[in-house]
Amino acid sequence: MYTEKVIEEFTNPENVGELADADAVGEAGSPTCGDIMKIYLKVEDDRITDARFQTFGCAAAIASSSMATRMILGMTVTEAWNLSNVDVVDALGGLPEPKVHCSLLARDAIRAAIDDLRNRQ
Amino acid sequence: MYTEKVIEEFTNPENVGELADADAVGEAGSPTCGDIMKIYLKVEDDRITDARFQTFGCAAAIASSSMATRMILGMTVTEAWNLSNVDVVDALGGLPEPKVHCSLLARDAIRAAIDDLRNRQ
Ligand code: FES
């Protein structure tokens, strides 16, 4: 059902936790399953220098968020905003169709954090 | 969002894994989120003597299944069939409304395993 990459990211997720000194925090909820994702960002000179996530979501949500937070490191804020969940799903080698919605959680939380960043600036 | 009991069961779940010599195996899927749950049972003299579960589901699914598999140990097969997800949710001190469907996965997988048991007998 899941690719090896998904199982690997799920069993050894990176960037789990919170950032006490985050420059921005974003939260998103899934209308499909009710799960919630929180993303913390550190930003320097318009680039993402650190990212962490917290969720009670499923394996697909954890794998997608681990992958997404790794992908946005070093990106400009605009590049991170434009990261699509399809890019994340591709990097995971695919997700079973009923779990694709879980990858939206990370994208939505990243965008919410970028909104928060712009509000603070 | 989650009770202490849910967090405790999620972070230290019991009965995770499979039983190589199971007397019955049941699988259930959630139409809401697409997650899948698999339950393995050992049964002696009509009583559940061992139970394990496997899932890539969310924290609520893991907490409910940990709790449900603990609750059915020692029950007769009929008592285990009658375990409702409300009993499990109560034992967890409640679940957030959008996550109640996750507790159905354990109940449905237990019932599928009991169907399997009856088919084998
Ligand atoms: S959201 Fe799928 S089991 Fe909880």
Side-chain angles (χ1 to χ4, degrees):
Chain A
M1 182 178 175
Y2 289 96
T3 67
E4 251 175 62
K5 194 77 205 120
V6 171
I7 293 171
E8 193 184 306
E9 289 286 330
F10 167 57
T11 48
N12 291 301
E14 270 189 68
N15 306 319
V16 174
E18 53 187 312
L19 289 172
D21 58 343
D23 296 309
V25 182
E27 196 173 285
S30 166
T32 308
C33 66
D35 279 323
I36 282 174
M37 175 75 59
K38 211 164 169 179
I39 297 235
Y40 302 79
L41 299 178
K42 283 291 292 174
V43 180
E44 271 166 57
D45 295 333
D46 198 47
R47 285 200 182 265
I48 315 286
T49 57
D50 209 350
R52 298 289 156 86
F53 73 95
Q54 290 179 312
T55 187
F56 284 101
C58 67
I62 292 168
S64 309
S65 308
S66 172
M67 183 58 85
T69 49
R70 294 205 285 125
M71 288 170 86
I72 61 173
L73 282 186
M75 280 188 180
T76 66
V77 170
T78 306
E79 285 166 347
W81 176 279
N82 288 327
L83 181 79
S84 89
N85 77 308
V86 177
D87 299 333
V88 175
V89 172
D90 283 350
L92 289 170
L95 275 178
E97 181 50 40
K99 305 303 298 177
V100 171
H101 74 88
C102 309
S103 65
L104 291 168
L105 268 179
R107 187 207 61 185
D108 291 350
I110 288 169
R111 291 188 175 179
I114 293 174
D115 278 339
D116 180 44
L117 181 78
R118 287 175 178 155
N119 283 336
R120 293 194 201 189
Q121 277 166 350
Chain B
M1 182 180 178
Y2 288 95
T3 65
E4 250 175 61
K5 194 74 205 123
V6 172
I7 294 171
E8 194 184 306
E9 289 285 333
F10 166 57
T11 50
N12 290 302
E14 271 188 67
N15 307 320
V16 175
E18 53 187 312
L19 289 173
D21 57 345
D23 296 307
V25 183
E27 196 174 286
S30 167
T32 308
C33 67
D35 280 319
I36 282 173
M37 175 75 59
K38 211 163 168 179
I39 297 234
Y40 301 79
L41 300 178
K42 282 293 289 174
V43 181
E44 271 166 57
D45 294 334
D46 198 49
R47 287 200 181 264
I48 314 286
T49 56
D50 209 350
R52 298 289 156 82
F53 72 94
Q54 291 180 312
T55 187
F56 284 100
C58 69
I62 292 167
S64 311
S65 309
S66 172
M67 183 58 85
T69 48
R70 294 206 285 123
M71 289 170 86
I72 61 173
L73 283 185
M75 280 189 182
T76 64
V77 170
T78 307
E79 285 167 349
W81 176 279
N82 288 328
L83 181 79
S84 88
N85 76 308
V86 176
D87 299 333
V88 175
V89 171
D90 284 349
L92 289 169
L95 275 177
E97 181 49 40
K99 305 305 295 176
V100 171
H101 73 87
C102 310
S103 65
L104 291 170
L105 268 179
R107 187 208 61 183
D108 291 349
I110 289 169
R111 291 188 175 180
I114 293 174
D115 278 339
D116 180 43
L117 181 77
R118 287 175 179 155
N119 284 334
R120 292 196 202 188
Q121 279 164 348

